[in-house]
């Protein structure tokens, strides 16, 4: 076993390394010891604040009362007064907390413990021992003051508290931690009407804190949009062509130049269609909608309608060559593949215009697909003079009836079943045939789907 090391003993005549405090003093001074008594009801207090960071500038109001459970450990006059009376210190200067300091009693042997403070005067050498009180400072959150409801017919009688006040008191006493936290939050943010004052005209004036809160609420509510402004902002952000809300006729709502683009509109060639129809030759297209309306539109001699029909065919061919992607997206193929699928009449500027408008990053998501569909629907309105049988364009786009109806409604159309006159014009003999057809009409004033606002149900 290894021997335990011992400290080296100080040799005789040696001096410790540390210098004693008394060393170096010129002369020694005697201390006169005395106990101060006869302070009356007041004495210094030693305060402890467990768990609190008590500011030193907190003003405390002192109160005394006769102690009910007197515990005496001696019969000396200097402690008899402290034992018979009880000290209470209180402060409500803090905006949210109340500080209370009192002599706490645990009911054990510590109640017989007495505390003293020594005051030493180095000039005279007097040491005075003063008995003091020990108090414990506690901080409590200031609760909401429930205003008293007085009945004028019964003097000096208080009405029972309101239902809200009763629920608040029950929540503070028996509620869960979550409910008590919510009650404390209401208490902290409460605006007490009793703290308000009145001016010369009799109107109540709130305190500065409450006035600042009310001002901020008015500024916030003043900047809020109305329901019409909010609906207009939502309509403007929707993926659809921008309508002219100040239009006086349906023809002024959507313009061909805005839907197609000026450069693309000039690049569209329709002379071959005109020549084929004049020569009574059949024109083969990949679209049912375009094929059924080609002869009628060419015969109308309206170049803008004919170019709109040609652009609809271009959009349908361009959309059909897109490749499916993940999560319902569409992926733009290579440039050569698009030209081969659409045809040689499409130019590079038209391809770039389509990419920027409907597939800016090379893909079409839900928003850009909706924008594409609504543009196609708006072009069909121009071709069909603002009354469209949606069955043909529905089949070309491979959509359900509910989907194509929603797209036409998004651009302001009213969609309904065909009337008897329209059924005869469309040569629909049976109800089964007419049930697959719906007519979209653009009428003024425009009707757009309103955004639904869901109100949460109240808990029972």
């Amino acid at each position: 076993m290894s021997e335990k090391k011992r400290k080296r003993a100080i040799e005789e005549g040696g001096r410790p390394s540390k210098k004693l405090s008394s060393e170096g003093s010129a002369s020694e001074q005697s201390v006169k010891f005395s106990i101060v008594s006869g302070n009356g009801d007041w004495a210094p207090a030693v305060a402890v604040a467990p768990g609190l960071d008590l500011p030193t500038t907190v003003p405390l109001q002192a109160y005394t009362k006769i102690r009910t459970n007197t515990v005496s450990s001696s019969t000396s006059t200097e402690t008899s007064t402290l034992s018979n009376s009880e000290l209470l210190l209180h402060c409500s200067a803090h905006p949210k907390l109340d500080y209370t300091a009192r002599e706490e009693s645990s009911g054990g042997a510590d109640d017989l413990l007495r505390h003293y403070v020594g005051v030493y005067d180095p000039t005279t050498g007097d040491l005075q021992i003063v008995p003091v009180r020990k108090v414990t400072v506690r901080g409590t959150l200031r609760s909401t003051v429930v205003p008293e409801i007085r009945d004028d017919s019964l003097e000096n009688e208080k009405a029972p508290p309101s239902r809200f006040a009763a629920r608040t008191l029950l929540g503070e006493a028996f509620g869960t931690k979550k409910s008590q936290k919510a009650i404390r939050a209401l208490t902290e943010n409460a605006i007490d009407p009793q703290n308000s004052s009145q001016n010369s005209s009799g109107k109540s004036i709130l305190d500065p804190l409450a006035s600042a809160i009310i001002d901020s609420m008015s500024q916030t509510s003043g900047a809020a949009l109305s329901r019409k402004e909010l609906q207009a902002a939502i309509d403007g952000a929707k993926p659809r062509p921008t309508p002219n809300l100040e239009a006086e006729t349906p023809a002024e709502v959507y313009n061909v130049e805005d839907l197609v683009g000026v450069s693309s509109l000039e690049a569209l060639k329709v002379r071959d269609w005109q020549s084929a129809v004049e020569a009574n030759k059949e024109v083969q297209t990949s679209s049912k909608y375009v094929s059924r309306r080609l002869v009628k539109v060419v015969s109308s001699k309206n170049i803008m309608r004919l170019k709109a029909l040609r652009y609809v065919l271009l959009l349908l061919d361009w959309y059909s060559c897109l490749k499916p992607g993940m999560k319902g997206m569409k992926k733009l193929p290579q440039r050569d593949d698009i030209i081969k699928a659409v045809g040689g009449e499409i130019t590079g500027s038209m391809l770039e215009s389509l990419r920027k408008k409907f597939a800016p990053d090379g893909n079409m998501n839900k928003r850009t697909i909706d924008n594409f569909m609504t543009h196609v629907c708006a072009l069909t309105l121009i071709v069909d003079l603002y009354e469209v049988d949606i069955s043909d364009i529905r089949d070309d786009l491979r959509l359900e009836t509910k989907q194509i109806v929603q797209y036409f409604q998004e651009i302001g159309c009213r969609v309904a079943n065909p009337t008897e006159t329209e059924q005869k014009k469309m040569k629909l003999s049976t109800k089964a045939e007419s049930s697959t057809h719906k007519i979209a009409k653009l009428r003024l004033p425009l009707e757009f789907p309103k955004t639904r606002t869901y109100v949460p149900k109240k808990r029972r």
Side-chain angles (χ1 to χ4, degrees):
M1 296 177 64
S2 59
E3 296 181 359
K4 185 178 180 180
K5 293 184 180 181
R6 298 181 180 179
K7 294 183 179 179
R8 184 178 63 179
I10 301 176
E11 298 179 357
E12 295 182 358
R15 297 183 61 186
S17 59
K18 294 184 179 179
K19 185 178 180 180
L20 299 177
S21 60
S22 61
E23 291 181 4
S25 60
S27 61
E28 297 181 356
Q29 185 179 9
S30 61
V31 178
K32 297 178 183 180
F33 177 83
S34 63
I35 298 178
V36 178
S37 60
N39 293 329
D41 295 336
W42 303 107
V46 177
V48 293
L52 288 178
D53 186 10
L54 187 65
T56 58
T57 59
V58 171
L60 297 171
Q61 186 71 28
Y63 305 91
T64 58
K65 70 175 183 176
I66 302 300
R67 193 185 299 271
T68 56
N69 52 348
T70 303
V71 179
S72 179
S73 61
S74 64
T75 58
S76 59
T77 57
E78 66 270 11
T79 58
S80 60
T81 304
L82 302 184
S83 301
N84 296 331
S85 62
E86 184 178 355
L87 177 66
L88 174 67
L89 303 176
H90 181 72
C91 175
S92 58
H94 194 275
K96 296 181 181 179
L97 298 177
D98 285 341
Y99 294 107
T100 304
R102 57 164 48 95
E103 300 177 72
E104 296 183 349
S105 175
S106 60
D110 291 341
D111 293 344
L112 304 175
L113 186 62
R114 296 291 176 261
H115 298 270
Y116 296 87
V117 172
V119 181
Y120 175 67
D121 188 358
T123 58
T124 61
D126 293 336
L127 176 61
Q128 296 179 349
I129 304 299
V130 182
V132 297
R133 302 175 186 267
K134 181 186 176 183
V135 295
T136 304
V137 183
R138 304 289 183 183
T140 57
L141 183 66
R142 187 177 299 114
S143 61
T144 304
V145 180
V146 180
E148 296 182 354
I149 304 175
R150 298 185 179 273
D151 190 357
D152 296 337
S153 61
L154 300 176
E155 296 181 357
N156 300 327
E157 290 188 5
K158 295 182 179 179
S162 62
R163 184 177 180 183
F164 176 77
R167 291 182 62 183
T168 302
L169 293 175
L170 287 174
E172 291 178 350
F174 306 104
T176 60
K177 292 183 178 180
K178 185 176 181 181
S179 62
Q180 291 179 356
K181 184 178 180 181
I183 292 173
R184 288 195 297 269
L186 290 174
T187 303
E188 293 177 1
N189 299 325
I191 298 177
D192 192 356
Q194 294 184 358
N195 294 334
S196 61
S197 58
Q198 292 185 351
N199 56 12
S200 58
S201 60
K203 296 183 179 180
S204 60
I205 303 175
L206 296 175
D207 59 337
L209 177 61
S211 179
I213 294 175
I214 297 298
D215 292 341
S216 63
M217 291 173 59
S218 61
Q219 292 175 3
T220 305
S221 60
L225 297 177
S226 62
R227 177 169 294 186
K228 291 184 179 180
E229 293 174 344
L230 183 61
Q231 185 66 37
I234 294 175
D235 293 340
K238 286 186 176 181
R240 65 187 181 191
T242 304
N244 181 15
L245 301 179
E246 298 179 358
E248 297 180 357
T249 60
E252 298 176 355
V253 177
Y254 297 106
N255 195 358
V256 181
E257 288 82 357
D258 297 334
L259 296 174
V260 179
V262 178
S263 60
S264 299
L265 192 63
E266 294 176 354
L268 284 173
K269 306 299 182 182
V270 294
R271 184 59 188 170
D272 55 340
W273 281 5
Q274 291 175 325
S275 300
V277 171
E278 291 173 358
N280 294 325
K281 294 182 179 179
E282 184 179 1
V283 180
Q284 298 289 338
T285 65
S286 59
S287 168
K288 182 193 298 186
Y289 175 84
V290 175
S291 298
R292 289 185 175 181
R293 289 159 177 80
L294 178 59
V295 176
K296 183 179 179 180
V297 174
V298 171
S299 302
S300 67
K301 307 296 183 179
N302 192 326
I303 301 299
M304 285 299 175
R305 287 181 61 194
L306 186 58
K307 287 193 173 185
L309 184 64
R310 189 64 181 258
Y311 195 70
V312 170
L313 179 62
L314 177 64
L315 290 179
L316 295 175
D317 292 340
W318 179 82
Y319 184 75
S320 62
C321 68
L322 299 180
K323 297 180 180 180
M326 297 177 61
K327 298 181 180 180
M329 298 179 63
K330 297 285 186 178
K331 186 177 180 181
L332 201 64
Q334 296 295 329
R335 189 186 188 94
D336 295 339
D337 296 338
I338 297 177
I339 295 175
K340 183 178 180 181
V342 175
E345 65 272 6
I346 189 170
T347 62
S349 61
M350 296 172 66
L351 281 176
E352 186 65 17
S353 176
L354 291 175
R355 187 192 66 80
K356 288 182 178 180
K357 184 180 293 186
F358 303 117
D361 57 349
N363 297 306
M364 293 183 70
N365 54 19
K366 178 65 170 58
R367 182 178 178 83
T368 53
I369 290 175
D370 291 344
N371 190 30
F372 174 84
M373 297 296 180
T374 51
H375 272 75
V376 173
C377 293
L379 287 169
T380 59
L381 289 175
I382 297 175
V383 173
D384 288 343
L385 298 178
Y386 313 103
E387 291 187 8
V388 184
D389 180 10
I390 65 175
S391 59
D392 293 338
I393 195 66
R394 176 199 61 196
D395 296 339
D396 288 340
L397 294 174
R398 299 178 182 179
L399 297 175
E400 299 292 336
T401 303
K402 183 179 179 180
Q403 293 175 304
I404 194 65
V405 166
Q406 185 177 1
Y407 284 130
F408 273 99
Q409 289 176 346
E410 287 292 339
I411 60 176
C413 292
R414 306 173 190 180
V415 184
N417 295 325
T419 61
E420 294 182 359
T421 304
E422 292 170 343
Q423 291 178 11
K424 293 179 181 179
K425 184 178 179 180
M426 297 165 60
K427 299 180 180 179
L428 301 176
S429 58
T430 62
K431 292 183 178 180
E433 293 179 351
S434 61
S435 63
T436 59
H437 295 263
K438 287 185 179 296
I439 307 299
K441 300 178 181 180
L442 189 65
R443 296 289 183 267
L444 297 180
L446 301 177
E447 293 183 0
F448 298 100
K450 295 182 180 180
T451 304
R452 296 180 180 179
T453 55
Y454 295 94
V455 179
K457 297 182 179 179
K458 295 183 178 180
R459 296 182 179 179
R460 296 182 178 178

